[in-house]
Amino acid sequence: MNIRNNLNNLRQTLPDGCRLIAVSKTQPAEAIQEAYVAGQRLFGENKAQELVAKYETLPKDIEWHMIGHLQSNKVKYLAPFVHLIHSVDSFKLLEEINKQGVRCKRKISCLLQVHIATEETKFGFSADELKELITSGKIGALQSIEVVGLMGMASFTDDKTLIRKEFQQLRELFDSLKVAELPHNVHMRELSMGMSGDYPIAIEEGSTMIRVGTAIFGNRHYNQPQ
Ligand SMILES: *Cc1c(COP(=O)(O)O)cnc(C)c1O
């Protein structure tokens, strides 16, 4: 794998207003360092412990993005430094992030994860649950968080029409919320969608952040100590 070439090729396809999160889960620190030297500063991880361990050993100007399902009891480890939590899938989690934000005296940026795929297993709010939460006023009471947009994962399929339809649904929800009356700490700026297999479609459908792992780093190393 030539990480530098992969990054450069990807960057050439990125339109203005769309950023690349390099998903480094299971990859060793050396691979991240290689991407860092090639200019990459935004990295995504899906496990709290692994993210913290990498934060501690790698350069401090890296922006760390939490992209995987997050248990409430792990929020405290990320709260001091995490740049953006993409995977907020319950109000309870949002409350815990707020509590830890208060403790660390920082406002923590979050995306609300929306379930757009056909698979049952993917986490996230339904469109209706999301609208209900946002209009309920419950988020406005949380002083140490800022919701900056939405995140979604399309179905794992070769059916490009279905993938596009799912991204379009998310985009339409995002656009409808953009013009809605929102709590003071909710702003629809970021739309996190697109992975190695489907990021070109996500970009066409308006993604502002693609989360790409294997197309940069190659296969994941699940057997490595983490
Ligand atoms: C692993 C992961 C990615 C990256 O997947 P690739 O197919 O390797 O690009 C993106 N988003 C989430 C939420 C992930 O868990």
Side-chain angles (χ1 to χ4, degrees), residues 147-192:
V147 172
V148 298
L150 305 180
M151 179 272 226
M153 287 168 88
S155 297
F156 187 70
T157 173
D158 291 331
D159 182 351
K160 292 201 158 50
T161 311
L162 177 63
I163 293 172
R164 187 178 297 279
K165 213 162 79 192
E166 291 170 351
F167 286 149
Q168 278 169 353
Q169 276 169 19
L170 185 58
R171 165 68 185 275
E172 280 162 18
L173 179 63
F174 179 74
D175 285 344
S176 73
L177 289 171
K178 249 185 183 170
V179 295
E181 200 166 307
L182 299 172
H184 67 94
N185 55 350
V186 178
H187 300 96
M188 288 293 138
R189 283 199 297 267
E190 303 290 351
L191 186 55
S192 168

Side-chain angles (χ1 to χ4, degrees), residues 23 25 67 151 153 195-196 211-214 220:
V23 176
K25 63 192 189 198
I67 62 168
M151 179 272 226
M153 287 168 88
M195 307 171 34
S196 293
R211 311 176 309 270
V212 178
T214 45
R220 285 189 261 282

Side-chain angles (χ1 to χ4, degrees), residues 5-103:
N5 281 353
N6 294 344
L7 275 171
N8 286 339
N9 291 338
L10 259 162
R11 285 190 190 122
Q12 279 166 15
T13 72
L14 274 188
D16 284 349
C18 184
R19 286 179 291 163
L20 169 64
I21 316 295
V23 176
S24 49
K25 63 192 189 198
T26 80
Q27 303 295 344
E30 299 79 67
I32 301 176
Q33 189 67 40
E34 206 175 320
Y36 179 89
V37 170
Q40 183 67 24
R41 293 292 180 273
L42 283 56
F43 291 89
E45 291 281 337
N46 70 338
K47 294 209 165 70
Q49 289 98 323
E50 188 176 344
L51 196 162
V52 171
K54 287 172 172 172
Y55 163 74
E56 282 168 356
T57 54
L58 286 154
K60 286 293 174 284
D61 61 341
I62 288 178
E63 268 185 21
W64 290 103
H65 292 245
M66 177 61 185
I67 62 168
H69 180 63
L70 178 58
Q71 289 170 285
S72 291
N73 62 355
K74 306 274 171 65
V75 174
K76 58 179 175 285
Y77 305 117
L78 304 181
F81 67 90
V82 70
H83 186 78
L84 179 61
I85 301 175
H86 291 231
S87 42
V88 175
D89 56 5
S90 72
F91 182 66
K92 178 175 159 272
L93 179 59
L94 207 52
E95 284 181 305
E96 177 62 19
I97 295 169
N98 182 62
K99 185 175 142 196
Q100 297 302 331
V102 170
R103 188 180 59 92

